[in-house]
Amino acid sequence: MTRATQKRISLAVFVAMVVFWQVLSVLFPAEIVDGVPMIPGWQVLATTTFLSMADYWGGGFGIISVAQGGERTTAAAALSIISHSWDTLVRLYVGLALGAICGATLGLAITWSAWTRRIIELPVEVLRTLPLLAMVPLFQLWFGTYFAGKIAFIGYGVAVLFVAGVINAVRNVPPIYLENARTLGASKMEIYKTVILPAIFPELRATIMLSLGLAWATVIGAEYLGAQSGLGYILVYAQSYGFVDRMFFVALLFVLYASISFALFNMVSTKMLRWAPRASGRESLA
Amino acid sequence: MATLRQTIGATAGDGAPTGHAMRVLKAWLPSADPLGLVGIVLAVVIWWALGFVVGSAVLPSPHAVMARVGQDFWVAPMLSYYGLPKTGLFDSLTYSATNVFLSVLLGGAIGVVLGLFTARVTLARAILDPILTTVGTIPILVLAPFFLIWFGTGRWSALLLITIYVVVILYIYAQRAADNLDPVYEDSARTLGAGGWDILWGMLIPGTLPQILGGLRIALAGAWGLEAIAELLGAQRGIGKIIEVLAGSLDTEGIFACLLVLGVAAVISDMLMGALARRAMRWSADAK
């Protein structure tokens, strides 16, 4: 089977999934609230649901919010989607960057000597076994429900993953690289800068991929409990009123954004790793 | 086993293990490093000291959490004030554990069958790959509300939810394992006259078993967290439900106790799975 055929089949499968959803919505027309079907078809999602997003627009840009007596307009709906998506994305990437920087720095510091690595490795493993999403309530108590609490939660999850990933990657650097550098008279700092940092990147790719997935899970977790904006907030709000169509709409947005972020990272990292002899090419999202 | 013991001896830096009990212990703790235990002790001390600085309402001390676990383990009368049945952490844990194991078994079986099948049949792969990879990218918190509405807050909705993620993980692992099998195995088997069933039972399944067991281990570790969050969002019972209730009353000590119990349960089940994998792979040359 050629690649082109495979692509065509994938496309057909996606079309089939879209059609299947529509068929389901016809087969199970049960409604939770009047006008809100259990399984919303595409005609509902594209019209009523899209317009209902205007409910979450807080006002501004000359368009009054629905709460203040404004109409449900396309403009308000679009603005609402953009602003809530923006909030979620900012939280996600600030938390991700914070966690990645802290985790990678800590990981590199731990690998500086064999002693620190052996002492800290096991506690990090234990931290990893704690169910992260179940810790949302704790982070709320510690850091509040505002921006700090959310990025602290995302950052913590990403950092724990990064510490473990960096330790593992540094250990897997072929010793011959280090020995050669040392023979040529490199200091420890120089070895870290010129040998270890570039050498661990191919292996770190899987960690970054995983942490991207984790960040998407945690940002919703953080928004789930006590946020005033963001896609997760809309999801919770819609769920408590049984608006399955709005939930589905937000879920589609999540899948879209997550897929885009994965694809972008794949593209960039493949370019960055062109130098590597046999980069971990098979590493897709496991 | 001999190689396993050698690696343990090398990392632990001690002499030959003495006695049966020692050997069993070492087989169970394959990566136990005395310095790692020092690290755990240090972590507990830091936790304890930090609790002093920020106050026990924010970060309860380790011994208070341990005492709480002991107190609530069999019967936790105060949980009945929250409208929960008068049960301890143990009952909630068995409820959650049942869900975890059932969904790993069910999801594992489906995932492995699909993964191995699609590794051999290209058309099935082209159809299933896009579906399962799309499902795999949906965060659990996005999927969970739908399941709560469609399947209710009982056992089924959490069980199905976790099963889906287990299926995706095992599908990828089994498929990759079958892809990576050296074609020389099949060629040799075919040359010696093996049929379809012989290939399946004699080559495909034993050949992919190590990676599949590794995937099952990862799925099991993830399933604990998924079960906790599924219960936290809407369930009648389970450890996650207790966390949700305690979070409402800002009971950090209780939340820590629940997290500790969950973490220990996850570690124990991971060890069991690891021991099982080692047992199953004793014949293999590259078993570690």
Side-chain angles (χ1 to χ4, degrees), chain A residues 232-277:
Chain A
Y233 157 78
I234 300 183
L235 193 66
V236 184
Y237 200 76
Q239 191 202 351
S240 55
Y241 289 94
F243 291 139
V244 185
D245 59 330
R246 299 184 193 185
M247 286 160 58
F248 194 79
F249 193 85
V250 174
L252 283 180
L253 285 180
F254 268 122
V255 173
L256 184 72
Y257 294 144
S259 308
I260 291 176
S261 65
F262 280 123
L264 272 180
F265 175 72
N266 244 338
M267 238 165 63
V268 173
S269 65
T270 315
K271 269 207 178 128
M272 281 174 79
L273 284 177
R274 228 181 259 154
W275 61 272

mmCIF file of all heavy atoms in Angstrom, chain A residues 232-277:
data_model
loop_
_atom_site.group_PDB
_atom_site.id
_atom_site.type_symbol
_atom_site.label_atom_id
_atom_site.label_comp_id
_atom_site.label_asym_id
_atom_site.label_seq_id
_atom_site.Cartn_x
_atom_site.Cartn_y
_atom_site.Cartn_z
ATOM 1 N N GLY A 232 -11.720 25.351 29.602
ATOM 2 C CA GLY A 232 -12.123 24.430 30.657
ATOM 3 C C GLY A 232 -13.288 24.981 31.459
ATOM 4 O O GLY A 232 -14.189 24.250 31.861
ATOM 5 N N TYR A 233 -13.277 26.290 31.657
ATOM 6 C CA TYR A 233 -14.362 26.949 32.379
ATOM 7 C C TYR A 233 -15.682 26.777 31.634
ATOM 8 O O TYR A 233 -16.716 26.449 32.218
ATOM 9 C CB TYR A 233 -13.994 28.424 32.562
ATOM 10 C CG TYR A 233 -15.136 29.365 32.788
ATOM 11 C CD1 TYR A 233 -15.738 29.459 34.038
ATOM 12 C CD2 TYR A 233 -15.602 30.177 31.753
ATOM 13 C CE1 TYR A 233 -16.785 30.341 34.243
ATOM 14 C CE2 TYR A 233 -16.643 31.052 31.962
ATOM 15 C CZ TYR A 233 -17.235 31.134 33.201
ATOM 16 O OH TYR A 233 -18.253 31.999 33.400
ATOM 17 N N ILE A 234 -15.636 26.977 30.306
ATOM 18 C CA ILE A 234 -16.858 26.787 29.508
ATOM 19 C C ILE A 234 -17.338 25.343 29.619
ATOM 20 O O ILE A 234 -18.533 25.076 29.770
ATOM 21 C CB ILE A 234 -16.614 27.148 28.025
ATOM 22 C CG1 ILE A 234 -16.178 28.608 27.909
ATOM 23 C CG2 ILE A 234 -17.861 26.892 27.189
ATOM 24 C CD1 ILE A 234 -16.000 29.062 26.486
ATOM 25 N N LEU A 235 -16.386 24.411 29.589
ATOM 26 C CA LEU A 235 -16.724 22.986 29.663
ATOM 27 C C LEU A 235 -17.465 22.675 30.962
ATOM 28 O O LEU A 235 -18.518 22.020 30.956
ATOM 29 C CB LEU A 235 -15.435 22.167 29.561
ATOM 30 C CG LEU A 235 -15.574 20.670 29.304
ATOM 31 C CD1 LEU A 235 -16.147 20.419 27.933
ATOM 32 C CD2 LEU A 235 -14.233 19.978 29.435
ATOM 33 N N VAL A 236 -16.933 23.161 32.084
ATOM 34 C CA VAL A 236 -17.560 22.898 33.377
ATOM 35 C C VAL A 236 -18.938 23.530 33.453
ATOM 36 O O VAL A 236 -19.907 22.907 33.874
ATOM 37 C CB VAL A 236 -16.715 23.496 34.519
ATOM 38 C CG1 VAL A 236 -17.311 23.129 35.856
ATOM 39 C CG2 VAL A 236 -15.302 23.014 34.438
ATOM 40 N N TYR A 237 -18.985 24.770 33.015
ATOM 41 C CA TYR A 237 -20.225 25.528 33.049
ATOM 42 C C TYR A 237 -21.294 24.821 32.221
ATOM 43 O O TYR A 237 -22.429 24.644 32.666
ATOM 44 C CB TYR A 237 -19.935 26.916 32.485
ATOM 45 C CG TYR A 237 -20.935 27.963 32.858
ATOM 46 C CD1 TYR A 237 -20.929 28.516 34.132
ATOM 47 C CD2 TYR A 237 -21.869 28.400 31.934
ATOM 48 C CE1 TYR A 237 -21.846 29.486 34.476
ATOM 49 C CE2 TYR A 237 -22.794 29.371 32.273
ATOM 50 C CZ TYR A 237 -22.778 29.912 33.551
ATOM 51 O OH TYR A 237 -23.679 30.856 33.885
ATOM 52 N N ALA A 238 -20.896 24.387 31.018
ATOM 53 C CA ALA A 238 -21.842 23.698 30.136
ATOM 54 C C ALA A 238 -22.277 22.373 30.741
ATOM 55 O O ALA A 238 -23.441 21.989 30.665
ATOM 56 C CB ALA A 238 -21.209 23.471 28.771
ATOM 57 N N GLN A 239 -21.330 21.678 31.396
ATOM 58 C CA GLN A 239 -21.676 20.373 31.967
ATOM 59 C C GLN A 239 -22.694 20.515 33.084
ATOM 60 O O GLN A 239 -23.623 19.725 33.186
ATOM 61 C CB GLN A 239 -20.419 19.688 32.501
ATOM 62 C CG GLN A 239 -20.664 18.229 32.864
ATOM 63 C CD GLN A 239 -19.640 17.706 33.847
ATOM 64 O OE1 GLN A 239 -18.653 18.356 34.138
ATOM 65 N NE2 GLN A 239 -19.893 16.515 34.350
ATOM 66 N N SER A 240 -22.534 21.565 33.915
ATOM 67 C CA SER A 240 -23.437 21.672 35.046
ATOM 68 C C SER A 240 -24.859 22.005 34.609
ATOM 69 O O SER A 240 -25.792 21.798 35.364
ATOM 70 C CB SER A 240 -22.913 22.702 36.055
ATOM 71 O OG SER A 240 -22.698 23.924 35.403
ATOM 72 N N TYR A 241 -25.015 22.530 33.391
ATOM 73 C CA TYR A 241 -26.372 22.764 32.878
ATOM 74 C C TYR A 241 -26.804 21.690 31.894
ATOM 75 O O TYR A 241 -27.879 21.788 31.319
ATOM 76 C CB TYR A 241 -26.453 24.133 32.200
ATOM 77 C CG TYR A 241 -26.387 25.264 33.185
ATOM 78 C CD1 TYR A 241 -25.189 25.875 33.482
ATOM 79 C CD2 TYR A 241 -27.543 25.697 33.839
ATOM 80 C CE1 TYR A 241 -25.116 26.905 34.398
ATOM 81 C CE2 TYR A 241 -27.479 26.728 34.759
ATOM 82 C CZ TYR A 241 -26.273 27.323 35.037
ATOM 83 O OH TYR A 241 -26.210 28.322 35.950
ATOM 84 N N GLY A 242 -25.947 20.712 31.653
ATOM 85 C CA GLY A 242 -26.298 19.641 30.731
ATOM 86 C C GLY A 242 -26.290 20.058 29.271
ATOM 87 O O GLY A 242 -26.954 19.444 28.445
ATOM 88 N N PHE A 243 -25.532 21.091 28.918
ATOM 89 C CA PHE A 243 -25.436 21.526 27.516
ATOM 90 C C PHE A 243 -24.408 20.668 26.779
ATOM 91 O O PHE A 243 -23.264 21.081 26.591
ATOM 92 C CB PHE A 243 -25.004 22.992 27.431
ATOM 93 C CG PHE A 243 -26.027 23.963 27.916
ATOM 94 C CD1 PHE A 243 -25.661 25.067 28.679
ATOM 95 C CD2 PHE A 243 -27.368 23.797 27.597
ATOM 96 C CE1 PHE A 243 -26.606 25.966 29.124
ATOM 97 C CE2 PHE A 243 -28.319 24.703 28.041
ATOM 98 C CZ PHE A 243 -27.944 25.790 28.808
ATOM 99 N N VAL A 244 -24.844 19.478 26.365
ATOM 100 C CA VAL A 244 -23.891 18.559 25.728
ATOM 101 C C VAL A 244 -23.336 19.161 24.446
ATOM 102 O O VAL A 244 -22.176 18.954 24.095
ATOM 103 C CB VAL A 244 -24.551 17.204 25.437
ATOM 104 C CG1 VAL A 244 -23.535 16.221 24.896
ATOM 105 C CG2 VAL A 244 -25.166 16.651 26.688
ATOM 106 N N ASP A 245 -24.148 19.945 23.736
ATOM 107 C CA ASP A 245 -23.670 20.496 22.459
ATOM 108 C C ASP A 245 -22.501 21.463 22.679
ATOM 109 O O ASP A 245 -21.520 21.432 21.955
ATOM 110 C CB ASP A 245 -24.815 21.171 21.699
ATOM 111 C CG ASP A 245 -25.439 22.300 22.498
ATOM 112 O OD1 ASP A 245 -25.427 22.222 23.743
ATOM 113 O OD2 ASP A 245 -25.939 23.256 21.885
ATOM 114 N N ARG A 246 -22.600 22.287 23.733
ATOM 115 C CA ARG A 246 -21.487 23.204 24.005
ATOM 116 C C ARG A 246 -20.245 22.435 24.435
ATOM 117 O O ARG A 246 -19.126 22.777 24.078
ATOM 118 C CB ARG A 246 -21.877 24.193 25.100
ATOM 119 C CG ARG A 246 -23.066 25.034 24.687
ATOM 120 C CD ARG A 246 -23.371 26.068 25.727
ATOM 121 N NE ARG A 246 -24.674 26.640 25.453
ATOM 122 C CZ ARG A 246 -25.192 27.651 26.127
ATOM 123 N NH1 ARG A 246 -24.514 28.180 27.123
ATOM 124 N NH2 ARG A 246 -26.378 28.127 25.816
ATOM 125 N N MET A 247 -20.468 21.383 25.242
ATOM 126 C CA MET A 247 -19.334 20.560 25.657
ATOM 127 C C MET A 247 -18.633 19.983 24.439
ATOM 128 O O MET A 247 -17.410 19.965 24.344
ATOM 129 C CB MET A 247 -19.812 19.416 26.555
ATOM 130 C CG MET A 247 -20.201 19.837 27.944
ATOM 131 S SD MET A 247 -21.268 18.621 28.730
ATOM 132 C CE MET A 247 -20.268 17.172 28.676
ATOM 133 N N PHE A 248 -19.438 19.502 23.502
ATOM 134 C CA PHE A 248 -18.862 18.883 22.313
ATOM 135 C C PHE A 248 -18.092 19.914 21.491
ATOM 136 O O PHE A 248 -17.005 19.634 20.985
ATOM 137 C CB PHE A 248 -19.982 18.258 21.473
ATOM 138 C CG PHE A 248 -19.462 17.323 20.423
ATOM 139 C CD1 PHE A 248 -19.075 16.040 20.753
ATOM 140 C CD2 PHE A 248 -19.371 17.725 19.109
ATOM 141 C CE1 PHE A 248 -18.586 15.185 19.794
ATOM 142 C CE2 PHE A 248 -18.881 16.872 18.135
ATOM 143 C CZ PHE A 248 -18.495 15.593 18.479
ATOM 144 N N PHE A 249 -18.643 21.094 21.412
ATOM 145 C CA PHE A 249 -17.992 22.171 20.658
ATOM 146 C C PHE A 249 -16.617 22.481 21.263
ATOM 147 O O PHE A 249 -15.603 22.558 20.553
ATOM 148 C CB PHE A 249 -18.881 23.417 20.707
ATOM 149 C CG PHE A 249 -18.496 24.488 19.745
ATOM 150 C CD1 PHE A 249 -18.954 24.452 18.436
ATOM 151 C CD2 PHE A 249 -17.659 25.513 20.135
ATOM 152 C CE1 PHE A 249 -18.595 25.432 17.530
ATOM 153 C CE2 PHE A 249 -17.289 26.504 19.241
ATOM 154 C CZ PHE A 249 -17.759 26.458 17.933
ATOM 155 N N VAL A 250 -16.579 22.624 22.593
ATOM 156 C CA VAL A 250 -15.312 22.915 23.269
ATOM 157 C C VAL A 250 -14.342 21.749 23.111
ATOM 158 O O VAL A 250 -13.134 21.939 22.885
ATOM 159 C CB VAL A 250 -15.566 23.225 24.759
ATOM 160 C CG1 VAL A 250 -14.258 23.372 25.500
ATOM 161 C CG2 VAL A 250 -16.381 24.482 24.893
ATOM 162 N N ALA A 251 -14.882 20.525 23.202
ATOM 163 C CA ALA A 251 -14.018 19.345 23.041
ATOM 164 C C ALA A 251 -13.363 19.354 21.667
ATOM 165 O O ALA A 251 -12.175 19.068 21.530
ATOM 166 C CB ALA A 251 -14.829 18.073 23.245
ATOM 167 N N LEU A 252 -14.128 19.721 20.644
ATOM 168 C CA LEU A 252 -13.563 19.796 19.293
ATOM 169 C C LEU A 252 -12.439 20.816 19.236
ATOM 170 O O LEU A 252 -11.390 20.571 18.637
ATOM 171 C CB LEU A 252 -14.652 20.167 18.280
ATOM 172 C CG LEU A 252 -15.601 19.054 17.873
ATOM 173 C CD1 LEU A 252 -16.611 19.579 16.860
ATOM 174 C CD2 LEU A 252 -14.830 17.892 17.275
ATOM 175 N N LEU A 253 -12.660 21.972 19.892
ATOM 176 C CA LEU A 253 -11.603 22.988 19.920
ATOM 177 C C LEU A 253 -10.335 22.441 20.575
ATOM 178 O O LEU A 253 -9.229 22.636 20.072
ATOM 179 C CB LEU A 253 -12.082 24.225 20.687
ATOM 180 C CG LEU A 253 -13.071 25.145 19.982
ATOM 181 C CD1 LEU A 253 -13.437 26.297 20.891
ATOM 182 C CD2 LEU A 253 -12.462 25.689 18.697
ATOM 183 N N PHE A 254 -10.526 21.723 21.694
ATOM 184 C CA PHE A 254 -9.372 21.157 22.391
ATOM 185 C C PHE A 254 -8.596 20.219 21.482
ATOM 186 O O PHE A 254 -7.361 20.288 21.400
ATOM 187 C CB PHE A 254 -9.824 20.383 23.630
ATOM 188 C CG PHE A 254 -9.843 21.205 24.869
ATOM 189 C CD1 PHE A 254 -11.000 21.356 25.602
ATOM 190 C CD2 PHE A 254 -8.687 21.824 25.309
ATOM 191 C CE1 PHE A 254 -11.024 22.114 26.750
ATOM 192 C CE2 PHE A 254 -8.698 22.591 26.454
ATOM 193 C CZ PHE A 254 -9.869 22.732 27.176
ATOM 194 N N VAL A 255 -9.323 19.319 20.826
ATOM 195 C CA VAL A 255 -8.654 18.341 19.966
ATOM 196 C C VAL A 255 -7.919 19.067 18.840
ATOM 197 O O VAL A 255 -6.775 18.737 18.500
ATOM 198 C CB VAL A 255 -9.679 17.331 19.408
ATOM 199 C CG1 VAL A 255 -9.031 16.423 18.380
ATOM 200 C CG2 VAL A 255 -10.261 16.519 20.531
ATOM 201 N N LEU A 256 -8.555 20.094 18.304
ATOM 202 C CA LEU A 256 -7.941 20.860 17.209
ATOM 203 C C LEU A 256 -6.638 21.509 17.672
ATOM 204 O O LEU A 256 -5.577 21.345 17.056
ATOM 205 C CB LEU A 256 -8.932 21.926 16.746
ATOM 206 C CG LEU A 256 -8.501 22.761 15.556
ATOM 207 C CD1 LEU A 256 -8.549 21.923 14.298
ATOM 208 C CD2 LEU A 256 -9.393 23.984 15.406
ATOM 209 N N TYR A 257 -6.704 22.233 18.801
ATOM 210 C CA TYR A 257 -5.508 22.927 19.290
ATOM 211 C C TYR A 257 -4.401 21.933 19.648
ATOM 212 O O TYR A 257 -3.228 22.150 19.333
ATOM 213 C CB TYR A 257 -5.828 23.766 20.525
ATOM 214 C CG TYR A 257 -6.756 24.922 20.268
ATOM 215 C CD1 TYR A 257 -7.698 25.315 21.206
ATOM 216 C CD2 TYR A 257 -6.680 25.631 19.076
ATOM 217 C CE1 TYR A 257 -8.547 26.370 20.972
ATOM 218 C CE2 TYR A 257 -7.529 26.690 18.846
ATOM 219 C CZ TYR A 257 -8.466 27.055 19.792
ATOM 220 O OH TYR A 257 -9.304 28.096 19.553
ATOM 221 N N ALA A 258 -4.794 20.845 20.334
ATOM 222 C CA ALA A 258 -3.779 19.870 20.749
ATOM 223 C C ALA A 258 -3.106 19.265 19.514
ATOM 224 O O ALA A 258 -1.882 19.147 19.468
ATOM 225 C CB ALA A 258 -4.411 18.780 21.605
ATOM 226 N N SER A 259 -3.899 18.924 18.500
ATOM 227 C CA SER A 259 -3.317 18.333 17.289
ATOM 228 C C SER A 259 -2.366 19.308 16.626
ATOM 229 O O SER A 259 -1.279 18.929 16.182
ATOM 230 C CB SER A 259 -4.408 17.936 16.301
ATOM 231 O OG SER A 259 -5.355 17.145 16.931
ATOM 232 N N ILE A 260 -2.762 20.586 16.567
ATOM 233 C CA ILE A 260 -1.897 21.590 15.946
ATOM 234 C C ILE A 260 -0.588 21.703 16.722
ATOM 235 O O ILE A 260 0.496 21.728 16.141
ATOM 236 C CB ILE A 260 -2.610 22.964 15.883
ATOM 237 C CG1 ILE A 260 -3.761 22.906 14.891
ATOM 238 C CG2 ILE A 260 -1.628 24.054 15.477
ATOM 239 C CD1 ILE A 260 -4.585 24.169 14.836
ATOM 240 N N SER A 261 -0.688 21.723 18.061
ATOM 241 C CA SER A 261 0.548 21.893 18.838
ATOM 242 C C SER A 261 1.472 20.688 18.662
ATOM 243 O O SER A 261 2.684 20.854 18.576
ATOM 244 C CB SER A 261 0.239 22.155 20.310
ATOM 245 O OG SER A 261 -0.373 21.053 20.893
ATOM 246 N N PHE A 262 0.893 19.485 18.586
ATOM 247 C CA PHE A 262 1.733 18.301 18.360
ATOM 248 C C PHE A 262 2.401 18.368 16.986
ATOM 249 O O PHE A 262 3.593 18.101 16.850
ATOM 250 C CB PHE A 262 0.907 17.024 18.454
ATOM 251 C CG PHE A 262 0.650 16.581 19.857
ATOM 252 C CD1 PHE A 262 -0.635 16.405 20.326
ATOM 253 C CD2 PHE A 262 1.709 16.344 20.721
ATOM 254 C CE1 PHE A 262 -0.867 16.014 21.620
ATOM 255 C CE2 PHE A 262 1.487 15.934 22.018
ATOM 256 C CZ PHE A 262 0.190 15.780 22.466
ATOM 257 N N ALA A 263 1.617 18.726 15.982
ATOM 258 C CA ALA A 263 2.154 18.756 14.623
ATOM 259 C C ALA A 263 3.265 19.798 14.511
ATOM 260 O O ALA A 263 4.316 19.537 13.909
ATOM 261 C CB ALA A 263 1.037 19.062 13.636
ATOM 262 N N LEU A 264 3.045 20.973 15.129
ATOM 263 C CA LEU A 264 4.059 22.032 15.084
ATOM 264 C C LEU A 264 5.353 21.567 15.746
ATOM 265 O O LEU A 264 6.440 21.744 15.192
ATOM 266 C CB LEU A 264 3.558 23.277 15.816
ATOM 267 C CG LEU A 264 2.754 24.265 14.995
ATOM 268 C CD1 LEU A 264 2.349 25.436 15.862
ATOM 269 C CD2 LEU A 264 3.581 24.747 13.811
ATOM 270 N N PHE A 265 5.208 20.958 16.922
ATOM 271 C CA PHE A 265 6.406 20.515 17.620
ATOM 272 C C PHE A 265 7.151 19.463 16.808
ATOM 273 O O PHE A 265 8.375 19.488 16.712
ATOM 274 C CB PHE A 265 6.061 19.952 18.995
ATOM 275 C CG PHE A 265 7.254 19.387 19.688
ATOM 276 C CD1 PHE A 265 8.232 20.229 20.199
ATOM 277 C CD2 PHE A 265 7.447 18.022 19.789
ATOM 278 C CE1 PHE A 265 9.355 19.719 20.808
ATOM 279 C CE2 PHE A 265 8.569 17.504 20.392
ATOM 280 C CZ PHE A 265 9.524 18.347 20.905
ATOM 281 N N ASN A 266 6.397 18.552 16.202
ATOM 282 C CA ASN A 266 7.010 17.522 15.371
ATOM 283 C C ASN A 266 7.829 18.134 14.252
ATOM 284 O O ASN A 266 8.949 17.735 13.974
ATOM 285 C CB ASN A 266 5.918 16.647 14.765
ATOM 286 C CG ASN A 266 6.027 15.239 15.265
ATOM 287 O OD1 ASN A 266 7.102 14.834 15.709
ATOM 288 N ND2 ASN A 266 4.940 14.510 15.212
ATOM 289 N N MET A 267 7.230 19.156 13.603
ATOM 290 C CA MET A 267 7.892 19.798 12.473
ATOM 291 C C MET A 267 9.183 20.467 12.915
ATOM 292 O O MET A 267 10.250 20.256 12.333
ATOM 293 C CB MET A 267 6.958 20.848 11.870
ATOM 294 C CG MET A 267 6.648 20.643 10.423
ATOM 295 S SD MET A 267 5.246 21.661 9.963
ATOM 296 C CE MET A 267 5.883 23.297 10.237
ATOM 297 N N VAL A 268 9.094 21.272 13.975
ATOM 298 C CA VAL A 268 10.254 22.022 14.444
ATOM 299 C C VAL A 268 11.352 21.079 14.916
ATOM 300 O O VAL A 268 12.528 21.232 14.560
ATOM 301 C CB VAL A 268 9.837 22.975 15.595
ATOM 302 C CG1 VAL A 268 11.057 23.634 16.210
ATOM 303 C CG2 VAL A 268 8.866 24.009 15.083
ATOM 304 N N SER A 269 10.950 20.058 15.710
ATOM 305 C CA SER A 269 11.984 19.191 16.282
ATOM 306 C C SER A 269 12.636 18.327 15.200
ATOM 307 O O SER A 269 13.823 18.037 15.280
ATOM 308 C CB SER A 269 11.412 18.324 17.388
ATOM 309 O OG SER A 269 10.480 17.439 16.860
ATOM 310 N N THR A 270 11.869 17.958 14.183
ATOM 311 C CA THR A 270 12.482 17.182 13.091
ATOM 312 C C THR A 270 13.542 18.020 12.392
ATOM 313 O O THR A 270 14.617 17.523 12.057
ATOM 314 C CB THR A 270 11.410 16.749 12.078
ATOM 315 O OG1 THR A 270 10.284 16.265 12.783
ATOM 316 C CG2 THR A 270 11.937 15.663 11.164
ATOM 317 N N LYS A 271 13.238 19.296 12.217
ATOM 318 C CA LYS A 271 14.217 20.193 11.584
ATOM 319 C C LYS A 271 15.453 20.338 12.452
ATOM 320 O O LYS A 271 16.580 20.311 11.969
ATOM 321 C CB LYS A 271 13.588 21.576 11.371
ATOM 322 C CG LYS A 271 12.929 21.699 10.028
ATOM 323 C CD LYS A 271 12.890 23.130 9.550
ATOM 324 C CE LYS A 271 12.252 23.157 8.170
ATOM 325 N NZ LYS A 271 11.156 24.107 8.091
ATOM 326 N N MET A 272 15.205 20.500 13.780
ATOM 327 C CA MET A 272 16.338 20.699 14.687
ATOM 328 C C MET A 272 17.207 19.467 14.791
ATOM 329 O O MET A 272 18.390 19.550 15.098
ATOM 330 C CB MET A 272 15.809 21.059 16.081
ATOM 331 C CG MET A 272 15.393 22.499 16.211
ATOM 332 S SD MET A 272 14.647 22.773 17.804
ATOM 333 C CE MET A 272 16.105 22.885 18.822
ATOM 334 N N LEU A 273 16.595 18.311 14.548
ATOM 335 C CA LEU A 273 17.327 17.066 14.774
ATOM 336 C C LEU A 273 17.923 16.506 13.496
ATOM 337 O O LEU A 273 18.345 15.362 13.470
ATOM 338 C CB LEU A 273 16.401 16.028 15.395
ATOM 339 C CG LEU A 273 16.128 16.265 16.866
ATOM 340 C CD1 LEU A 273 15.166 15.247 17.393
ATOM 341 C CD2 LEU A 273 17.429 16.212 17.632
ATOM 342 N N ARG A 274 17.965 17.319 12.442
ATOM 343 C CA ARG A 274 18.444 16.769 11.190
ATOM 344 C C ARG A 274 19.896 16.321 11.296
ATOM 345 O O ARG A 274 20.321 15.415 10.604
ATOM 346 C CB ARG A 274 18.291 17.819 10.088
ATOM 347 C CG ARG A 274 17.632 17.212 8.863
ATOM 348 C CD ARG A 274 17.493 18.223 7.780
ATOM 349 N NE ARG A 274 16.153 18.754 7.706
ATOM 350 C CZ ARG A 274 15.874 19.948 7.230
ATOM 351 N NH1 ARG A 274 16.839 20.749 6.826
ATOM 352 N NH2 ARG A 274 14.647 20.368 7.145
ATOM 353 N N TRP A 275 20.653 16.983 12.196
ATOM 354 C CA TRP A 275 22.070 16.630 12.333
ATOM 355 C C TRP A 275 22.264 15.250 12.953
ATOM 356 O O TRP A 275 23.240 14.583 12.716
ATOM 357 C CB TRP A 275 22.788 17.661 13.199
ATOM 358 C CG TRP A 275 22.216 17.724 14.596
ATOM 359 C CD1 TRP A 275 21.185 18.496 15.014
ATOM 360 C CD2 TRP A 275 22.606 16.944 15.719
ATOM 361 N NE1 TRP A 275 20.906 18.271 16.334
ATOM 362 C CE2 TRP A 275 21.779 17.308 16.789
ATOM 363 C CE3 TRP A 275 23.590 15.965 15.938
ATOM 364 C CZ2 TRP A 275 21.868 16.746 18.040
ATOM 365 C CZ3 TRP A 275 23.684 15.398 17.204
ATOM 366 C CH2 TRP A 275 22.830 15.793 18.241
ATOM 367 N N ALA A 276 21.291 14.846 13.806
ATOM 368 C CA ALA A 276 21.496 13.624 14.587
ATOM 369 C C ALA A 276 21.531 12.416 13.664
ATOM 370 O O ALA A 276 20.706 12.292 12.756
ATOM 371 C CB ALA A 276 20.374 13.459 15.602
ATOM 372 N N PRO A 277 22.482 11.488 13.885
ATOM 373 C CA PRO A 277 22.638 10.344 12.995
ATOM 374 C C PRO A 277 21.379 9.485 12.929
ATOM 375 O O PRO A 277 20.867 9.229 11.858
ATOM 376 C CB PRO A 277 23.817 9.581 13.591
ATOM 377 C CG PRO A 277 24.059 10.164 14.944
ATOM 378 C CD PRO A 277 23.505 11.540 14.925
#
